[in-house]
Amino acid sequence: QMCIRDRVSTQSTGKHNPLDLIGDTLERILTSKKIEAKSVVIADLGCGEATLAARLKDLPAVKQIRSFDLCEDKERGIEAVNLAKLPLSSNSVDFAVCC
């Protein structure tokens, strides 16, 4: 498990959307040679339209991305949940994104 607290200046990257910065950081980590294929599980909490899942799902290291929000969208793979009662067991995800 890893907690990413990447304090990247939006001035240096030109990006203003925090989700872009999180996506860049995860992509950099997940494409490193140290990550085994199909070994990483990501939980996107408050995923909106599941853009992070769409961006990262085809990376070789990604086993599964679970996208959670208030409203279900089966086409995008979004599960409707109360974030206080996530259907996840302890130690079942490698990265949790709250954005």
Side-chain angles (χ1 to χ4, degrees):
Q1 294 174 326
M2 182 183 291
C3 180
I4 301 171
R5 291 189 174 92
D6 209 26
R7 298 185 188 275
V8 179
S9 167
T10 57
Q11 290 178 337
S12 65
T13 63
K15 294 186 178 184
H16 301 284
N17 182 344
L19 194 54
D20 288 338
L21 297 173
I22 292 167
D24 290 348
T25 301
L26 282 172
E27 199 167 336
R28 193 169 51 249
I29 292 168
L30 297 173
T31 56
S32 79
K33 294 178 183 177
K34 297 177 185 176
I35 305 291
E36 293 181 30
K38 300 291 182 196
S39 64
V40 175
V41 176
I42 301 168
D44 188 0
L45 314 174
C47 68
E49 296 180 355
T51 55
L52 189 66
R55 176 178 176 173
L56 301 177
K57 68 179 178 161
D58 294 326
L59 293 178
V62 175
K63 178 180 180 180
Q64 182 182 32
I65 300 177
R66 297 209 39 202
S67 301
F68 300 103
D69 212 305
L70 294 174
C71 298
E72 181 177 306
D73 184 334
K74 289 184 181 184
E75 285 184 32
R76 291 186 173 137
I78 299 170
E79 301 174 55
V81 298
N82 175 341
L83 293 181
K85 298 178 183 180
L86 288 171
L88 298 170
S89 58
S90 295
N91 299 315
S92 64
V93 299
D94 301 292
F95 296 94
V97 176
C98 304
C99 182

